[in-house]
Amino acid sequence: MQIVLNCLSLTSFYLCFALGLALVFGVMRIINFAHGEFFMIGAYATYLCVATLAPQIGGPSAWLVGAIVAAGITGLLGAVLYRTVVVPLADKPLAIFIATLALSYVLQTIVVQIFGPVGLSISPPLRGVVSVGGAILPASRAMVIVAAAALSIGLWIYLMRTESGRRIRAVAQNPRGALLQGIKTRNVGNLTLIIGSGIAGICGAAMGPISQISPYMGGPALWKAFIIIIVGGIGNVWGAVAAAAIFGVLDTLMSQFGGGRFLALTSAAIMLFVLSVKPSGLFGEKE
Amino acid sequence: MMGALHRDIATIIVVGLALVVGGLVGTPYILAVLVIFGMVSILVLSYRTITTMGGWSFAHVALMGIGGYSVAIFSKAPFEIPVLAAVALGGVFAAFFAAILSWPVLRTRQYYFFLSTFAAGEALRQCYIQIKEVTGGTAGIAFIARPGVLPDPSSAFQFLCLVAVILVLLGLFYAALDASDTGKKIKAVGEDEALSSSLGIDAWALRALAFILGSFGAGIAGGLFASYNGIMSPSDINAMLMFKIVAACVIGGTTRFSGPLLGLLFLTLIEEIFRFVPEFVPMIWGMLVIAAVIFSQRTGGGFRLRKVTNA
């Protein structure tokens, strides 16, 4: 049972992180390398909110404010990114990839200058443990599971049931067709990047209290997310869910049984194997 | 009017000579900068060869590590083969590893290609850290010798000359490849793979060839780095270096050999100008690269990527 809970907790994190990336790619066919730095900035925003507000309004509400602020800041960054990089470089995916890679260094440097290169920790908003069927889970880890579930279900309802969600799906399926139907694809692109980046910020807020936060925390998370979306099929949100679950379980089991050293190697081997067998990923359609 | 091949050859020889002359007249500090510049030049030139096939790899620096560790391991007991031979061996190993890697990663295009090479490169770096028995883990392998062919192995200037010679030789090889029929076919595949295939060109083999030959240069550069620094550790395989190589190619454009080298020169100058605030260098680089990418794409210069069809 403990292992199941650990698997669930890791899967939630992978999912949370890969979801925004997969959404942005699925709709606009671009990869935002600064996604990891958005995640990092979300964590720092939460850190600031918790540090300043917690004595007045208590840990949990300070964290909630932090999460909202984090989503706001990263969403704004997404909108700026859209205006300054994505629009001028429309139809040039590699150029966008490199520009966002460059952006990630800019953001990293800024955060190092403000907060210093040393890691910080956020005091957990929820203390105590949750026990399920004899197994225990720290409450803040349980919170990540809840946050990831809420985020995925919320995103699903939004995409499937609302007018603007339908527009996003239409653009993802066929940009030209959507344009002919009178959908302002530019607005949809902007919206998608804002949502995707906002998710990264919330993910940072959720993960911040569990792990140490540092200006360099985005890199390893992004690397794992790349593997997840490649294995799942780039841009396929459900593929990302499945791949996040696969790696969540596998990585937990490997660390449990002493194979932690070879985690990166195994993940990469799986990715390369999937690519050799099915280059478009497990659930990806052929482009 | 000089032909493209002649221009590339001229570029390489000018860079080689400039390195040696700069090393003769410069201070020890400039000498050190030039040695690094020469080694990174080998990296960008070999990287350019990979990009001609239409894919931008992000595993180049990780493959460079194979060359570095080859020199670190084989120049020491129990192998004790000459350093220069170990450097060549490192190039061969890097090419061999690229050949293995090409099976899965070359099935991918565009986004998938740079993401999968990025992930593969990062995994390779993790191997350097985790397989401690071979690579020495995070501490790496120290006390790597300089090449014994140099009369005075401790002289940075002699090492610079060696780098310049290797740069020119490799550069001429890549220039010859570029101008050959094979090179032209590789570029045709890079421009339009479907069309090339329909004309009976074996796109797969040519893409793999470009990837393998380009990675050979990465291995050579890695070997030189290890020998020059005297130590090889996973921290040498950093993302910043990979970014520097890609950025040099993006800023300068990859059509001719002069492009990436000028891009690298530009980035190195920025790095040196802001030497007194090293912590801001990544940010300044980043902003300049964003500006350069947007500018070069708007004006149609710089590098080009096949347009994605709106399907």
Side-chain angles (χ1 to χ4, degrees):
Chain A
M1 194 61 200
Q2 187 66 54
I3 292 177
V4 174
L5 278 185
N6 290 345
C7 289
L8 202 60
S9 142
L10 196 60
T11 303
S12 308
F13 167 59
Y14 287 163
L15 177 60
C16 208
F17 194 91
L19 212 54
L21 214 56
L23 178 74
V24 170
F25 184 86
V27 177
M28 294 192 294
R29 298 279 178 260
I30 61 167
I31 284 157
N32 178 12
F33 206 99
H35 198 79
E37 272 60 40
F38 287 4
F39 161 72
M40 179 267 289
I41 286 172
Y44 272 93
T46 313
Y47 166 80
L48 276 186
C49 287
V50 170
T52 54
L53 293 177
Q56 280 93 34
I57 59 173
S61 15
W63 177 82
L64 203 62
V65 173
I68 294 166
V69 171
I73 292 177
T74 52
L76 191 69
L77 281 172
V80 172
L81 180 66
Y82 187 75
R83 285 285 135 77
T84 53
V85 173
V86 178
V87 172
L89 298 178
D91 280 341
K92 298 187 176 85
L94 182 65
I96 294 175
F97 184 70
I98 288 161
T100 55
L101 179 62
L103 178 67
S104 74
Y105 284 108
V106 174
L107 296 176
Q108 219 171 57
T109 313
I110 292 173
V111 172
V112 170
Q113 287 310 308
I114 299 175
F115 295 96
V118 191
L120 301 165
S121 50
I122 302 175
S123 59
L126 295 174
R127 291 179 193 285
V129 291
V130 181
S131 77
V132 185
I136 54 163
L137 192 69
S140 38
R141 278 189 187 274
M143 200 180 70
V144 176
I145 300 178
V146 174
L151 214 57
S152 335
I153 294 169
L155 188 66
W156 187 77
I157 293 174
Y158 170 73
L159 288 177
M160 292 300 171
R161 291 278 179 269
T162 66
E163 188 60 40
S164 66
R166 284 199 192 97
R167 270 190 226 124
I168 289 181
R169 282 193 294 139
V171 174
Q173 273 171 12
N174 187 342
R176 197 166 294 169
L179 198 62
L180 289 173
Q181 293 300 316
I183 293 176
K184 295 191 177 73
T185 43
R186 265 197 172 203
N187 292 355
V188 170
N190 196 8
L191 186 65
T192 312
L193 202 54
I194 291 174
I195 295 174
S197 311
I199 292 177
I202 294 177
C203 189
M207 282 309 286
I210 296 179
S211 55
Q212 270 231 327
I213 64 173
S214 91
Y216 310 107
M217 68 195 280
L222 190 71
W223 176 73
K224 194 78 202 193
F226 279 170
I227 290 196
I228 288 171
I229 62 173
I230 290 173
V231 170
I234 301 188
N236 184 325
V237 175
W238 306 121
V241 175
I246 293 172
F247 283 107
V249 173
L250 187 77
D251 292 1
T252 310
L253 291 180
M254 279 192 70
S255 343
Q256 197 85 26
F257 298 111
R261 269 180 84 183
F262 300 107
L263 266 186
L265 192 58
T266 328
S267 309
I270 292 174
M271 175 196 80
L272 293 176
F273 177 73
V274 168
L275 284 178
S276 334
V277 180
K278 199 164 180 293
S280 53
L282 287 178
F283 304 95
E285 297 124 41
K286 215 168 169 66
E287 300 221 3
Chain B
M1 188 68 190
M2 269 198 293
L5 173 64
H6 295 114
R7 236 178 322 165
D8 286 342
I9 292 175
T11 307
I12 294 156
I13 291 173
V14 166
V15 171
L17 284 176
L19 284 178
V20 174
V21 173
L24 266 180
V25 299
T27 60
Y29 180 80
I30 293 180
L31 193 60
V33 172
L34 288 176
V35 173
I36 304 283
F37 184 85
M39 293 188 293
V40 182
S41 297
I42 296 178
L43 281 175
V44 295
L45 280 187
S46 54
Y47 189 71
R48 183 199 160 274
T49 301
I50 297 182
T51 64
T52 54
M53 61 91 165
W56 289 58
S57 160
F58 279 77
H60 207 60
V61 171
L63 288 169
M64 173 195 112
I66 292 191
Y69 279 109
S70 301
V71 170
I73 292 163
F74 290 107
S75 67
K76 286 170 168 287
F79 305 101
E80 285 179 339
I81 62 176
V83 173
L84 215 51
V87 169
L89 196 64
V92 173
F93 280 147
F96 179 70
F97 199 83
I100 298 173
L101 207 58
S102 69
W103 173 249
V105 299
L106 283 181
R107 292 163 166 267
T108 60
R109 310 283 184 281
Q110 296 200 356
Y111 330 95
Y112 266 101
F113 184 71
F114 45 78
L115 286 186
S116 57
T117 49
F118 177 85
E122 186 58 26
L124 201 53
R125 198 178 70 88
Q126 286 294 325
C127 290
Y128 300 144
I129 297 173
Q130 298 296 350
I131 306 176
K132 298 186 190 73
E133 295 76 8
V134 182
T135 63
T138 39
I141 299 173
F143 307 111
I144 303 167
R146 294 267 176 90
V149 290
L150 298 178
D152 175 12
S154 65
S155 153
F157 177 69
Q158 290 181 11
F159 195 85
L160 177 68
C161 293
L162 179 71
V163 169
V165 168
I166 294 176
L167 172 67
V168 170
L169 288 179
L170 260 179
L172 292 179
F173 168 67
Y174 286 132
L177 174 74
D178 206 59
S180 71
D181 271 1
T182 314
K184 284 175 189 149
K185 280 183 196 157
I186 290 174
K187 272 184 267 185
V189 171
E191 287 285 324
D192 193 332
E193 192 176 333
L195 184 63
S196 317
S197 300
S198 70
L199 293 172
I201 293 176
D202 186 350
W204 165 274
L206 288 167
R207 291 172 75 223
L209 185 69
F211 189 55
I212 291 167
L213 291 178
S215 301
F216 174 74
I220 297 282
L224 290 173
F225 260 110
S227 173
Y228 177 68
N229 293 334
I231 180 164
M232 183 70 213
S233 76
S235 60
D236 298 324
I237 318 292
N238 57 32
M240 258 328 257
L241 184 57
M242 189 66 239
F243 178 60
K244 193 177 185 177
I245 296 167
V246 179
C249 290
V250 171
I251 292 174
T254 56
T255 320
R256 294 261 61 88
F257 279 40
S258 49
L261 290 171
L262 283 174
L264 180 63
L265 181 66
F266 174 73
L267 289 172
T268 308
L269 285 177
I270 299 291
E271 202 177 1
E272 292 307 319
I273 290 169
F274 293 96
R275 181 152 53 99
F276 54 94
V277 279
E279 64 272 29
F280 286 108
V281 168
M283 184 168 101
I284 295 160
W285 267 15
M287 286 167 150
L288 285 170
V289 169
I290 295 174
V293 167
I294 292 174
F295 181 74
S296 67
Q297 293 296 309
R298 274 189 172 162
T299 55
F303 76 117
R304 295 190 308 153
L305 179 85
R306 234 181 334 137
K307 242 182 154 178
V308 197
T309 44
N310 286 335

